[in-house]
């Protein structure tokens, strides 16, 4: 689910730290930024999808200090060889996705019922 309350709290942080990195990585002038604070609780997941409609550059930032592999909530990205790349939601990790260059399917595995924390991330779609 989306955490609107958290989005209000980090608006200035996104402006100060995230936007400059997105511009640096994308190497283009981005005019539109849509960021969301994502909250995944027990049983939450994202089905397989492609985000190419949402902007040229996407990003995911993880800020849970403690997360275990077997708690789920893992990002899985399909590559061109029909295999999956799994990305662990490690604290302070930021992932950039070039939706113009790569049209890749991805999903997030369900958060297990024995996860000890809610999984939080900041997601942005940028044009």
């Amino acid at each position: 689910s989306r955490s609107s309350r958290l989005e209000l709290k980090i608006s200035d942080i996104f402006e100060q730290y995230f936007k400059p990195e997105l511009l640096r990585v994308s190497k283009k002038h981005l005019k539109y930024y849509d960021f969301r604070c994502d909250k995944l609780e027990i049983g939450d997941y994202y089905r397989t999808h492609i985000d190419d409609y949402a902007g040229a550059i996407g990003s995911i930032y993880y800020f849970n200090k403690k997360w275990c592999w077997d708690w789920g909530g893992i990002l899985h990205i399909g590559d061109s060889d029909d295999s999956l790349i799994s990305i662990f939601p490690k604290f302070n990790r930021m992932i950039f996705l070039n939706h113009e260059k790569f049209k890749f399917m991805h999903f997030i595995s369900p958060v297990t019922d024995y996860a000890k924390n809610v999984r939080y991330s900041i997601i942005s779609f940028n044009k």
Side-chain angles (χ1 to χ4, degrees), residues 42-74:
I42 291 172
D44 289 345
Y45 63 93
Y46 279 98
R47 292 180 60 179
T48 303
H49 63 283
I50 298 174
D51 289 327
D52 61 340
Y53 67 91
I57 301 293
S59 70
I60 305 168
Y61 176 77
Y62 300 109
F63 58 96
N64 280 81
K65 288 200 176 183
K66 294 183 180 183
W67 197 261
C68 297
W69 278 97
D70 66 344
W71 291 356
I74 310 297

Side-chain angles (χ1 to χ4, degrees), residues 48-52 75-80 96-107:
T48 303
H49 63 283
I50 298 174
D51 289 327
D52 61 340
L75 172 65
H76 300 280
I77 299 174
D79 68 12
S80 59
F96 297 97
L97 308 165
N98 185 336
H99 298 300
E100 287 183 329
K101 190 171 182 180
F102 303 103
K103 309 277 190 247
F104 47 83
M105 303 198 36
H106 57 284
F107 66 94

